[in-house]
Amino acid sequence: MLKHRGYVGHADLDVDAGVLHGEILGIRDVVTFEGTSVDELQKAFEDSVDDYLEMCEERGEEPNKPCSGKILLRTSPEHHLQLLLDAKRNGVSLNSWVVDKLEPAAN
């Protein structure tokens, strides 16, 4: 996993092009980077993060914060109701119920 200044990057190998290419995860803006070696990829990632933050500062914009802790989920009204009822039966908020169910996947 690539990390720099609180941002996380993910990369994949493009065998045909012979490069590693990636993007910053957890932000709305699209910020990409690539390299032909792990060291080059790490440097490109760090440069992309730094460039992104500098561009936001120059524009007077607040940069997207990675992983704000908010997740928007879409489901059917019927499924939403079933989740709400299950949370109520367990004496917790829907948010707490969902976080508890997602916890094993995060480890």
Side-chain angles (χ1 to χ4, degrees):
M1 184 179 325
L2 302 162
K3 294 182 180 181
H4 181 64
R5 298 179 70 176
Y7 290 85
V8 176
H10 172 78
D12 291 310
L13 172 62
D14 183 336
V15 176
D16 295 332
V19 297
L20 298 157
H21 61 89
E23 66 179 323
I24 295 175
L25 299 177
I27 64 173
R28 290 182 309 279
D29 294 322
V30 178
V31 181
T32 62
F33 51 92
E34 70 177 39
T36 57
S37 69
V38 173
D39 289 340
E40 192 175 296
L41 183 73
Q42 178 69 41
K43 175 76 169 112
F45 168 66
E46 292 173 5
D47 289 347
S48 290
V49 169
D50 293 342
D51 290 347
Y52 170 67
L53 295 173
E54 183 178 308
M55 179 193 68
C56 288
E57 185 176 332
E58 288 172 0
R59 292 180 173 182
E61 298 174 356
E62 192 68 30
N64 294 163
K65 300 291 184 198
C67 299
S68 68
K70 297 176 186 175
I71 299 173
L72 175 63
L73 300 172
R74 298 201 189 283
T75 188
S76 70
E78 297 81 16
H79 191 211
H80 188 171
L81 177 60
Q82 289 303 315
L83 296 174
L84 185 61
L85 291 172
D86 197 37
K88 182 71 171 167
R89 279 191 290 272
N90 285 283
V92 297
S93 69
L94 179 56
N95 186 78
S96 294
W97 188 88
V98 170
V99 168
D100 183 58
K101 297 299 180 190
L102 291 175
E103 188 70 30
N107 294 323

